[in-house]
Structures are given as C-alpha cells and as structure tokens.
Amino acid sequence: MSETNTPVQIEESWRIALQEEFQKPYFPLIKQFIIEQKAKGKTVYPPGSLIFNAFNLTPFNELKVVILGQDPYHGSGQAHGLCFSVQHGIKPPPSLVNIFKEIKTDVGIDTPNHGNLESWAKQGILLLNASLTVNSAEPNSHAKCGWQTFTDAVIKKISEEKKGVIFLLWGNFAKAKKVLIDTSKHYVLEAAHPSPLSGGAFFGSRHFSKTNELLKQQGKRIIDWKLN
C-alpha cells in the first residue's frame, strides 16, 4: 500500500485501468485501516509487497480468465496475494486439494507437490480475492474495510473494457458477483465452492477443460494447468 499522494505500486496496465479508483475517497481509508490493525498488534497477511501480487503477475492487457476467491488465507506463510494459492513449502489447504483432484479427473494432470499457482497467473489467470488482506487467524476480518468496493470495481472494469474473459465463480459468494459481469460478451462458469464443506458438489464441474475449450474457440492460447 502507498501513501495517499503517491502512486499505488501496481503493474502499469492496471495502474492506468484503475487510476480513477485510486483517487476515490474510500481507497486511502483501506491503508489507514491496515495501519490501525497493525498498531493494535495484529499480524496482517499477505505482506505489503504481495498485496497486489495477482495484478502484478497478470497484467490487464494479458488477462484471459478470472478465478474469484473471498479472502486471503489467514495462517502463517500461506497468503501471497493469489486466491486459493499458497507459497512454496506450505501444505495445500483442503479447497486447493479438491481443485487439484478435479483437475486430475478433468484433464488428467497429476496432483502437484506444492500449491503455488503463480504459473497460472503468468498465463493470464487473474487469481483475485474479494478482500486483499486479512488478520492472522481472523477470517474475513478485512471484509468491510473497502477492499470489496475496490475489487468489485476491478471486475466491472474487466467487464467493460475487455471481451471474451472467462469468469470462474465457485460458491455462493463468487456467484453473487455475476451481476457485475456483462454476460453478453464474457463467459461465466459457475460451480459449488471447492471446500470440503460443499460436500463434493464441486467435483464434475469440469471448469478446467471447459475454460480451454472457450479459449480455443476464441483463438487464444489454452492454459497449461500443470504447475511449474
């Protein structure tokens, strides 16, 4: 995060696309909220340098797919600014394990030995959490600080300025964002959340092969779901 009067440290094409958003009154209040949390002794995830990691790894100009998450992981060393992804050396959480199981069934790729999804991000998949920060051991603790206003604006900007983007909406929270997307020029694939709490309803959605089929139809390079 940056001071109010200095540019946000974010990849250039996103900085241009979201310039108006950064000038709105609510945006500096997010930084203020995070500073206040730290002043209270809270540990905030991810580290400041990784808050905009999803944007930095997936430039606006290269964006093809959006996967929407709700909240960063709130355990030590997990969150690094990409939804569902964890840093190398961290055990994949249950939702991510289920994502890998579905990939195995859908496109035949074996479960990787890590849960870092950076290689997806570098292929044009925006791994966007609705909130970009969280307190340690306090899920959804930053859900009302302004992040969702910002990330809703991100989704709207993608919808308005791009064409043929594939949005993967998993679970009721993500599905509720469908109203922000112009479905006449974008693709929306919906499924249950990959969490074990969904009772396995995520399995069989085949979103990974469907995404590649839609990319192929548009003449775009398909996603290699195998992690590097």
Side-chain angles (χ1 to χ4, degrees), residues 61-85:
N61 302 336
E62 298 172 18
L63 172 65
K64 298 189 290 194
V65 180
V66 177
I67 298 178
L68 188 66
Q70 185 167 355
D71 204 40
Y73 293 124
H74 51 83
S76 177
Q78 290 181 306
H80 64 132
L82 307 176
C83 73
F84 293 107
S85 179

Side-chain angles (χ1 to χ4, degrees), residues 8-81:
V8 174
Q9 299 303 304
I10 194 169
E11 188 274 332
E12 181 67 8
S13 63
W14 280 110
R15 187 188 64 75
I16 293 166
L18 299 172
Q19 201 158 17
E20 286 181 22
E21 216 57 34
F22 297 138
Q23 306 304 319
K24 291 183 179 176
Y26 80 88
F27 195 81
L29 298 180
I30 300 174
K31 175 177 174 137
Q32 188 178 319
F33 175 84
I34 292 171
I35 290 170
E36 288 168 357
Q37 294 300 298
K38 290 179 177 178
K40 292 176 183 175
K42 304 284 188 181
T43 299
V44 175
Y45 298 130
S49 62
L50 294 175
I51 290 174
F52 293 108
N53 200 23
F55 301 90
N56 295 333
L57 291 177
T58 312
F60 187 72
N61 302 336
E62 298 172 18
L63 172 65
K64 298 189 290 194
V65 180
V66 177
I67 298 178
L68 188 66
Q70 185 167 355
D71 204 40
Y73 293 124
H74 51 83
S76 177
Q78 290 181 306
H80 64 132

Side-chain angles (χ1 to χ4, degrees), residues 194-216:
S195 164
L197 299 176
S198 299
F202 175 73
F203 297 126
S205 56
R206 300 188 61 243
H207 278 189
F208 306 97
S209 60
K210 288 176 180 176
T211 293
N212 277 345
E213 188 55 43
L214 290 169
L215 289 171
K216 222 182 281 182

